[in-house]
Amino acid sequence: EPEVTQTPSHQVTQMGQEVILRCVPISNHLYFYWYRQILGQKVEFLVSFYNNEISEKSEIFDDQFSVERPDGSNFTLKIRSTKLEDSAMYFCASKSAGQIEAFFGQGTRLTVV
Amino acid sequence: AQSVTQPDIHITVSEGASLELRCNYSYGATPYLFWYVQSPGQGLQLLLKYFSGDTLVQGIKGFEAEFKRSQSSFNLRKPSVHWSDAAEYFCAVAPPVVSDAGNNRKLIWGLGTSLAVNP
């Protein structure tokens, strides 16, 4: 069964460093998402991406964040200068045009120290 | 404001007992409704969904959920819990109409309910 894969599963980075979280969505999907979950808090929408551009982003998704689909298969989330409060589980999701539900990856746990 | 409430942060049940996890939503219209499960070290897996029609929906792993419009609820149930059901359960909603972004349906999530199962 096709699935969304995320790498790495866990990343530790120093405050101020750039990180790139990688996702490989399901191959025929057209809509891509990033969500995050800070420990003990709700899962929060960050950004959606369709037709090679951001279709919607939340207030959390400030200038420190960017997304890219560099090669038609990967979907990346970059945080330019990480802060302690960026520590969270980051989930990638994708869906096709004909679906309402999205399919999620297993998440990347980002720890900023 | 759109929101999802899962009143129970943590529930413990005995194996074989029945289970009900509560979910209430606040939305302008009836949204699309979902339950996801996250087992330790795993991603978010869709258990079931409600879009329209029969208000009792069946999902994977023996779970079902009932949509009650009058109560703005979408409670998850299972008649007999197995030890492997121990996990985090999330209720989520998506808008019933597409946004200007063309079928973009971002999810709004509840806080989650952590389920522990006693042997």
Side-chain angles (χ1 to χ4, degrees):
Chain A
E1 186 177 330
E3 59 181 18
V4 177
T5 57
Q6 291 184 242
T7 55
S9 56
H10 190 188
Q11 177 142 6
V12 182
T13 189
Q14 289 200 326
M15 190 169 55
Q17 294 297 304
E18 174 184 285
V19 294
I20 297 176
L21 309 183
R22 302 182 191 278
C23 170
V24 179
I26 295 173
S27 63
N28 63 340
H29 285 186
L30 300 176
Y31 297 85
F32 313 108
Y33 306 85
W34 283 101
Y35 290 82
R36 79 171 186 190
Q37 184 186 26
I38 295 171
L39 189 64
Q41 298 185 22
K42 293 187 179 186
V43 177
E44 303 170 290
F45 168 78
L46 290 178
V47 66
S48 59
F49 192 86
Y50 169 72
N51 201 26
N52 287 319
E53 61 183 19
I54 291 174
S55 49
E56 187 173 356
K57 60 183 180 180
S58 71
E59 293 176 354
I60 303 166
F61 196 89
D62 61 22
D63 292 344
Q64 292 299 310
F65 291 88
S66 62
V67 289
E68 196 176 31
R69 190 157 159 77
D71 56 12
S73 61
N74 290 284
F75 179 52
T76 61
L77 174 69
K78 182 193 290 186
I79 309 174
R80 279 190 195 82
S81 178
T82 50
K83 309 184 195 70
L84 294 176
E85 54 265 37
D86 293 327
S87 295
M89 180 74 90
Y90 288 80
F91 292 104
C92 173
S94 70
K95 76 175 194 71
S96 71
Q99 290 169 320
I100 295 174
E101 70 270 28
F103 293 82
F104 284 79
Q106 78 278 20
T108 293
R109 181 167 295 286
L110 176 65
T111 302
V112 182
V113 296
Chain B
Q2 302 156 359
S3 65
V4 177
T5 302
Q6 293 180 246
D8 306 304
I9 294 174
H10 188 88
I11 285 182
T12 301
V13 299
S14 297
E15 192 167 19
S18 64
L19 172 70
E20 182 168 29
L21 303 182
R22 296 181 289 166
C23 173
N24 293 93
Y25 64 88
S26 174
Y27 216 91
T30 300
Y32 293 114
L33 299 155
F34 306 85
W35 276 98
Y36 283 86
V37 60
Q38 184 182 24
S39 300
Q42 302 295 312
L44 293 160
Q45 182 182 24
L46 181 67
L47 276 177
L48 45 75
K49 57 188 184 276
Y50 173 78
F51 300 151
S52 64
D54 192 346
T55 56
L56 184 64
V57 293
Q58 303 297 319
I60 61 171
K61 304 185 181 187
F63 284 91
E64 66 179 26
E66 185 172 13
F67 167 60
K68 292 186 177 180
R69 186 188 307 273
S70 61
Q71 299 177 17
S72 297
S73 70
F74 188 55
N75 293 348
L76 182 71
R77 301 195 293 246
K78 186 169 184 178
S80 177
V81 169
H82 187 261
W83 65 266
S84 61
D85 293 325
E88 190 86 14
Y89 290 82
F90 295 93
C91 181
V93 303
V97 293
V98 299
S99 71
D100 291 339
N103 203 21
N104 177 34
R105 295 183 191 274
K106 69 177 184 184
L107 293 169
I108 299 169
W109 298 79
L111 190 56
T113 298
S114 177
L115 174 66
V117 180
N118 287 333

